[in-house]
Amino acid sequence: MMKPGNSGGGKGPDFRCAFEDGEEMGRLAMSLQTPDKIRSLQRKLYCKAKAEPAFRFYVLYDKICREDILSHAYKLARANAGAPGVDGTTFEQIDASGLEAWLAGLRDELVTKTYRPDPVRRVMIPKPGGGERPLGIPTHHA
């Protein structure tokens, strides 16, 4: 018997907007497979957490500053084809102004600990059974 809501097995992500123009329908424009270096890090963290449940990971901040992790996170967010946040910045604008420079700026803010997230845009979306629920849309942070 299926449980109500998403607990019975949620639907997968919607990649319909992740196609390049001219690509045949059904093929993604980019690979969303996690790179081996990132997968290795994830596996090590997972094994440590399972082996020592009381262990606290106090130094994970340096991991999110890695160029490969930021680049992969951008690709995942780009494939999700979300709406712009309160700043109105789109993925196309980031790509047009130079993705590498944008990622380098974000990395620099993270490393120097000057990064401050922008406010989240809140919209109400309909629920299947009627009514609405809030949805937060973060910015891409310029």
Side-chain angles (χ1 to χ4, degrees):
M1 181 173 169
M2 291 287 287
K3 295 179 182 176
N6 214 13
S7 60
K11 65 177 183 159
D14 183 4
F15 296 121
R16 285 177 291 189
C17 297
F19 299 94
E20 295 287 336
D21 290 334
E23 291 265 350
E24 136 186 359
M25 191 65 159
R27 288 183 23 184
L28 288 176
M30 67 177 81
S31 170
L32 295 177
Q33 184 175 1
T34 305
D36 290 338
K37 278 182 75 174
I38 297 174
R39 177 58 70 199
S40 174
L41 172 64
Q42 290 172 332
R43 186 74 187 153
K44 287 175 186 174
L45 293 171
Y46 169 80
C47 289
K48 180 71 171 178
K50 284 297 181 183
E52 298 179 43
F55 185 81
R56 295 291 167 245
F57 296 89
Y58 292 108
V59 288
L60 291 178
Y61 191 81
D62 65 320
K63 306 297 185 261
I64 64 167
C65 300
R66 284 179 24 184
E67 290 178 35
D68 60 333
I69 290 179
L70 290 174
S71 178
H72 185 62
Y74 178 83
K75 290 173 187 171
L76 290 174
R78 179 99 166 83
N80 197 26
V86 292
D87 64 352
T89 305
T90 65
F91 288 106
E92 291 77 17
Q93 291 170 326
I94 293 170
D95 292 341
S97 66
L99 175 59
E100 295 304 318
W102 185 84
L103 285 173
L106 177 59
R107 183 178 186 280
D108 183 56
E109 286 183 33
L110 290 169
V111 168
T112 59
K113 297 187 178 171
T114 58
Y115 173 82
R116 296 290 176 262
D118 292 329
V120 172
R121 188 173 104 196
R122 177 83 52 192
V123 295
M124 298 303 285
I125 61 171
K127 292 169 61 174
E132 294 181 324
R133 73 171 182 86
L135 174 69
I137 303 173
T139 62
H140 306 304
H141 192 70

